[in-house]
Amino acid sequence: MKKVLIIEDNDDIREGTAEVLELAGYHAVTAKNGKIGVDLASKELPDIILCDIMMPELDGYGVLYLLGKNPKLANIPFIFMTAKAERADMRKGMEMGADDYITKPFDDVELFNAIESRLKKKGLQATHKSNGKDLETVYQELKTKGKTRHYDNRQVIYLENDEPNYLYYVHRGQVKTYKRFDNGRELSSGLFKEGDFFGYESLCCGENYADNAATMTDTELVLIPKADFMDYLHNHHEFAHSFIQLLSGNVRFKEEQMLKLAYFSVRKRVAEALIQVAEKLRANHNEDESLLKISRDDLAALVGTASETVSRMLADFKDEKLIEKQGNAIKILSIEKLKKIKQ
């Protein structure tokens, strides 16, 4: 009997989901908030975890982060249960290691399909585990095949239409990818921090770069030759699966970015950009405050507007006690309040 841990603060959803799973032959364990959920995961060692995002005590991202720090729990399949309004946040969850998500309200068939799919993939991975090596070992091996190179702040790494020759790994620092238009405006297509890979989309597609990449701080990168990356991609199942997840997350992010540009006001887009940078670059995902070291130009590229417009919006947010300016840095006083900004 497979054991399912359900972490959900809504009593009706939590108990209803548990009841349905018990009838289907699963053993359901429930937790009413994230803190209890993490404790139960350690004690029960479930086969799969279903977790809500917005919860008291510890939200779903915090749960996923803490589970990922525990070697005994890090490989348990993890599915987010998300309300429709929260779907824009799912890219972050997938980047952090979530395996899937289902949108509430969901029916029994959706639930069973999601669980069975993840359990089946876990079983296949167990029998085909990177030629006997765990994923972290494979990553470490691949990184040793690269060369480390230092880049100064705001230095270009590659340009649109360049031929891709390397997979890039951020050893230290921060990197942005972006599109530049004829009028000089930029639109950000990605942010990367220590521990992230980038540049893999073009390698996987066999096409020239579709955007540009540059550093946002002094940065050290590991440049992994294309041939080594492709060899590991073809010969290590879990490694390939991890990059499929990254590619899927990037597609979702770009879809969401286009929708925001089309339908969100500038005020809402600036708030969303601040949240995006905070969620991507902050170390502790449980803190409501965050100090961002990002230029107005880089923030404007995320928003898709002029830097002067961003400066006006930041002045408004400062007056509303949502942020503080600390030199060239921006201190968010409450990420949750920024999320509540309306159109």
Side-chain angles (χ1 to χ4, degrees):
M1 185 181 289
K2 296 293 185 181
K3 187 184 296 183
V4 183
L5 172 59
I6 305 162
I7 309 173
E8 166 66 65
D9 64 320
N10 183 291
D11 294 342
D12 292 336
I13 295 175
R14 183 179 66 252
E15 299 308 325
T17 303
E19 184 179 351
V20 167
L21 290 174
E22 292 279 356
L23 289 171
Y26 294 95
H27 173 48
V29 181
T30 63
K32 65 181 179 181
N33 63 51
K35 274 189 175 180
I36 296 173
V38 172
D39 289 340
L40 274 177
S42 299
K43 294 173 185 175
E44 299 284 345
L45 297 178
D47 294 290
I48 191 165
I49 297 171
L50 305 176
C51 185
D52 188 23
I53 293 181
M54 302 303 293
M55 295 183 294
E57 303 290 337
L58 183 68
D59 66 13
Y61 300 123
V63 171
L64 183 55
Y65 176 79
L66 292 177
L67 294 179
K69 291 292 185 182
N70 188 330
K72 292 194 301 182
L73 307 176
N75 293 320
I76 297 174
F78 190 100
I79 300 175
F80 271 129
M81 300 186 294
T82 170
K84 245 182 182 178
E86 297 161 358
R87 289 187 67 177
D89 296 330
M90 289 317 303
R91 178 179 184 267
K92 179 180 67 175
M94 301 302 281
E95 284 185 342
M96 289 176 65
D99 296 283
D100 203 351
Y101 69 92
I102 50 177
T103 304
K104 296 184 283 190
F106 47 82
D107 59 35
D108 298 352
V109 174
E110 286 180 277
L111 178 64
F112 297 148
N113 284 342
I115 291 174
E116 289 168 10
S117 173
R118 288 301 136 191
L119 290 175
K120 183 178 179 181
K121 286 188 177 181
K122 183 184 179 183
L124 288 173
Q125 289 167 6
T127 59
H128 193 295
K129 196 169 184 179
S130 296
N131 298 333
K133 302 170 185 175
D134 63 40
L135 186 57
E136 186 58 33
T137 300
V138 174
Y139 275 129
Q140 292 301 329
E141 280 185 2
L142 183 62
K143 283 182 276 187
T144 61
K145 295 180 180 293
K147 55 186 177 184
T148 302
R149 182 173 295 173
H150 175 83
Y151 290 80
D152 294 329
N153 182 25
R154 307 194 76 78
Q155 184 175 344
V156 172
I157 301 163
Y158 60 73
L159 293 172
E160 185 176 355
N161 292 320
D162 282 353
E163 181 180 351
N165 293 311
Y166 299 103
L167 170 69
Y168 294 91
Y169 174 78
V170 185
H171 182 67
R172 179 178 61 83
Q174 297 171 8
V175 172
K176 65 174 180 177
T177 53
Y178 59 95
K179 297 280 289 185
R180 175 167 283 157
F181 301 99
D182 292 339
N183 61 5
R185 291 269 291 276
E186 290 183 5
L187 180 64
S188 178
S189 55
L191 294 176
F192 306 91
K193 61 176 176 53
E194 181 178 324
D196 287 344
F197 290 95
F198 68 96
Y200 45 83
E201 296 99 329
S202 296
L203 290 174
C204 291
C205 296
E207 298 177 351
N208 290 346
Y209 290 119
D211 51 16
N212 311 278
T215 59
M216 298 172 66
T217 62
D218 287 350
T219 298
E220 280 186 6
L221 300 178
V222 179
L223 280 59
I224 300 164
K226 174 182 178 180
D228 290 318
F229 171 61
M230 299 307 293
D231 176 59
Y232 274 66
L233 204 61
H234 289 134
N235 293 302
H236 296 279
H237 176 79
E238 287 192 16
F239 181 81
H241 177 69
S242 69
F243 275 89
I244 290 171
Q245 285 187 310
L246 290 174
L247 286 166
S248 298
N250 289 348
V251 170
R252 286 194 182 96
F253 169 72
K254 288 170 183 176
E255 287 175 349
E256 292 157 7
Q257 192 178 34
M258 294 302 295
L259 288 171
K260 289 173 184 177
L261 286 171
Y263 296 109
F264 282 13
S265 66
V266 174
R267 173 181 168 84
K268 178 68 172 175
R269 277 158 40 206
V270 173
E272 289 285 322
L274 289 171
I275 294 165
Q276 178 190 336
V277 177
E279 299 287 12
K280 177 66 179 177
L281 302 181
R282 65 178 170 164
N284 187 342
H285 288 269
N286 298 321
E287 291 182 356
D288 196 32
E289 294 185 353
S290 185
L291 186 65
L292 311 182
K293 294 181 180 179
I294 184 170
S295 72
R296 301 298 184 271
D297 288 340
D298 286 337
L299 194 58
L302 281 168
V303 177
T305 190
S307 57
E308 295 82 5
T309 303
V310 167
S311 295
R312 287 198 299 273
M313 290 297 105
L314 292 177
D316 290 345
F317 290 165
K318 182 181 177 184
D319 292 341
E320 296 167 35
K321 310 297 183 187
L322 295 171
I323 67 168
E324 291 178 354
K325 295 181 182 178
Q326 297 186 357
N328 292 326
I330 301 167
K331 182 178 182 181
I332 299 178
L333 300 178
S334 174
I335 293 171
E336 290 305 315
K337 287 183 179 178
L338 277 179
K339 288 180 178 178
K340 294 176 182 175
I341 285 181
K342 306 294 184 184
Q343 287 285 74

